[in-house]
Amino acid sequence: MSIAILSDLQQEIRRLFIAGSGLAEGDLRLTKILPQLQKLGEAAPVFNRVAQSLAQVIEPQKAEQAAVKLLDLSILVNSILYTQGTTEPTGGMAESVQVEGTNIACSTTIPHRRLHPAVEALTSKGQGRMEQLRLSFEDGNLQDFRIIPLVVAALDDGYSEIAEFVYEKVIPAYGADALPALREQYNPQGGKPDGRRLRLLHRLLDASGMDLYLQAAQEGSLDVRSAAIELLGNYSEQESYILEQADDKKKEIRSAAFAGLAKLGTERAVDRLYQALTSSKDRELAAEPVSQCSAVTLTSKIIANAEENLQRIVSGQGIVGAANAAVNKEREEAIKQLLADVQALDEKQPEEVLAFLKKLLSTTDFIIPETEEIQQQAANQLLWMHTPEAYEFAISLQDAYNGTFIAYSFRAAYKTLSPEEVYKRFAPELSNPKKVAAKQLLGAIHRVTPSLSKQLLAAGWDDEDFNATSFAAGESASKLDPRWIDVFVEIDEEELVWCLADRPNPHIAAYMSSKLQLKPSFRTHRTSSLLLALFRIGYKEAPELLMGILEKESVKNLYYLDTEQRALLNLLPRSYADRLQKFAEALTYENIKNQILAIAESVAAKPEELANESVTEKGKGLWGWIKNKMS
């Protein structure tokens, strides 16, 4: 019985070593153990001594004294258990094993209270985990060796975004400190997460892990084999082995082998990749790996093959529209092969590639419905080349083929021309928004216009260096000419209006406030965006509109605040603090209630004069106040 009490006390001491000795003062668990020890102390003085030491730990004291007292108690308890306990295993002597140490440099100085949110995010399910994990990473709260095994285990997380984040960002930041956990959790018979573990091990071990990669390539599961074969492409001595795998029956293995050969870039690798690209069996698998291969000879071969297939499509030998089934089949094959050729030229910069893309999109007989996918691929590649010549040609396609490529022309112009020139060239195209070309142009404008959420994050709403001036003045919103917003109001493109509204304008304010009357709900992205835009342009009725919508919200349906919603509530003037507090107190979910109560408290603390200041005064007023409250 006495030994059991000491064992319980030992566990509680370990808990406080992790959580921090400062939490020992008045600890309920320790307080419950103290009377039991005092009773035992009546019969055995040693327990009386333990009780006295425990009482000193529980009593209020300075932080440095608390740590010393807790350490003294630990030494005393461990000494008694060591002398009174037994270390012999049941059933006789156990076989001794070698203990392997590590060279982990990560410290354990981060308090448990700072680690806990990340631990919860890594070991639980539900919403908000990704945001918490990203915040913990940015704050440096994952740089502790105690959490490394949990982070490595998160590669198996069912939420793919978390698995991707720890693979791309968190684990690489540990460097060699992640090696023990990766080795321990790596399973050669596992799935994709273990393929990722193998790739992470390769980053740390490089050539020294060759035996591990070869074993994985030969004996691992399909996912692990695929990862290993691709990794072997970093080593020229493995050329023959990878070439063998390129003929495997399983397409996943062949695809990995093509990726490995692309890394090698040797003469034999180039020949095999070209063979795969020009065969109906493997061309879809080979296109992406080929695009990653930097061998100039391979690029030349692909362009020559693409030229031949273009001629087969547009030649006047009765291929297009011919009744003969065999000829039509040949034409279909040429289209499929040309698509693979163009995809394989992706991310390649030589002048010959640009020359071929120009020829392709300038050939009238090629611009037919059957080749639409190739046309889009070629136009996209013009933009991906990021060269003045490619952009210039893309802009020249604005009026070609009834505006088929107008979206690509706009994106190229947006990159290279002034906002005034872009407006002058493209705004007239929206005179009839129902035209196909106009719809494509609007799609391109949406693509280059950042959402309000992105603008908030770009301005650093959650950082101490939040740039209120940039967001309030619209400097990070868009490179579009200000005249576009009037065009979007005219054609009723609501989302573009609220994304671009950045300065006082009665006409724009009237448009957005009228839109707000259509099914307003604080929980919808549309309502939040309209309200945030109205605050941004200094609309005087914005606070009352926000509070009115909020008070009509069902208290049972509100359980989460996103970036825009938090920003909105912080923008309320001080006079709305009581109403906001009253609303918060009626909420069902405790977490959201506490968040809004905290915001209400901050709103109540605003200086009175802020209510009369304009939000467009370059970071002053409400936006400047938000800088301090949301950091």
Side-chain angles (χ1 to χ4, degrees), residues 417-589:
L417 303 181
S418 69
E420 295 78 10
E421 290 177 292
V422 174
Y423 178 81
K424 184 177 180 179
R425 286 184 68 105
F426 292 94
E429 301 281 1
L430 297 180
S431 58
N432 183 0
K434 294 184 178 180
K435 291 173 58 178
V436 174
K439 291 180 180 179
Q440 292 178 349
L441 175 57
L442 282 171
I445 295 173
H446 274 281
R447 182 167 182 162
V448 302
T449 303
S451 67
L452 281 180
S453 295
K454 289 183 178 178
Q455 293 179 48
L456 283 167
L457 293 174
W461 278 84
D462 292 322
D463 296 336
E464 294 181 359
D465 297 328
F466 165 63
N467 190 340
T469 301
S470 295
F471 184 74
E475 296 171 12
S476 63
S478 175
K479 287 170 54 182
L480 291 175
D481 187 283
R483 291 172 289 178
W484 278 105
I485 195 169
D486 294 313
V487 176
F488 299 142
V489 169
E490 183 68 26
I491 64 176
D492 198 22
E493 277 293 322
E494 179 185 322
E495 184 174 346
L496 288 172
V497 173
W498 79 52
C499 287
L500 297 176
D502 57 17
R503 62 203 68 192
N505 185 317
H507 177 54
I508 303 302
Y511 171 81
M512 291 195 294
S513 60
S514 67
K515 288 293 181 181
L516 194 58
Q517 307 307 316
L518 304 175
K519 297 182 179 179
S521 172
F522 184 71
R523 291 178 293 113
T524 65
H525 167 70
R526 175 180 176 273
T527 297
S528 296
S529 298
L530 282 167
L531 284 168
L532 192 57
L534 286 169
F535 270 104
R536 193 179 193 188
I537 66 175
Y539 186 55
K540 292 183 179 180
E541 301 300 321
E544 186 59 35
L545 285 172
L546 167 59
M547 202 65 227
I549 291 171
L550 196 62
E551 289 171 338
K552 293 178 182 178
E553 199 72 41
S554 171
V555 295
K556 294 181 179 180
N557 293 335
L558 195 61
Y559 56 86
Y560 175 75
L561 287 182
D562 61 22
T563 301
E564 291 185 14
Q565 291 166 338
R566 288 191 298 113
L568 278 171
L569 296 181
N570 273 285
L571 288 173
L572 284 169
R574 190 174 76 174
S575 57
Y576 285 81
D578 291 341
R579 289 171 66 182
L580 184 59
Q581 180 179 353
K582 183 178 179 181
F583 169 78
E585 289 173 346
L587 291 172
T588 302
Y589 295 98

Side-chain angles (χ1 to χ4, degrees), residues 33 48 63 93 123 134 192 261 282 331 348 351 381 495 569 572 606:
I33 296 175
N48 191 43
M93 294 294 293
T123 57
R134 183 179 285 111
K192 289 183 179 179
L261 292 172
D282 285 331
R331 172 173 163 273
K348 297 186 183 298
E351 293 182 4
Q381 285 180 214
E495 184 174 346
L569 296 181
L572 284 169
K606 289 182 181 181

Side-chain angles (χ1 to χ4, degrees), residues 306 309-310 313 331-343 345 356-357 360-361 366-382 405 408:
N309 284 295
L310 176 61
I313 295 171
R331 172 173 163 273
E332 291 174 4
E333 176 62 23
I335 291 173
K336 291 179 181 179
Q337 184 58 55
L338 182 57
L339 175 60
D341 291 338
V342 174
Q343 289 173 336
L345 292 174
F356 173 72
L357 294 177
L360 195 68
L361 297 177
F366 169 72
I367 309 300
I368 55 178
E370 293 84 348
T371 63
E372 184 176 352
E373 187 176 357
I374 307 175
Q375 297 170 37
Q376 293 175 352
Q377 179 72 26
N380 266 319
Q381 285 180 214
L382 287 173
F405 300 105
Y408 303 98

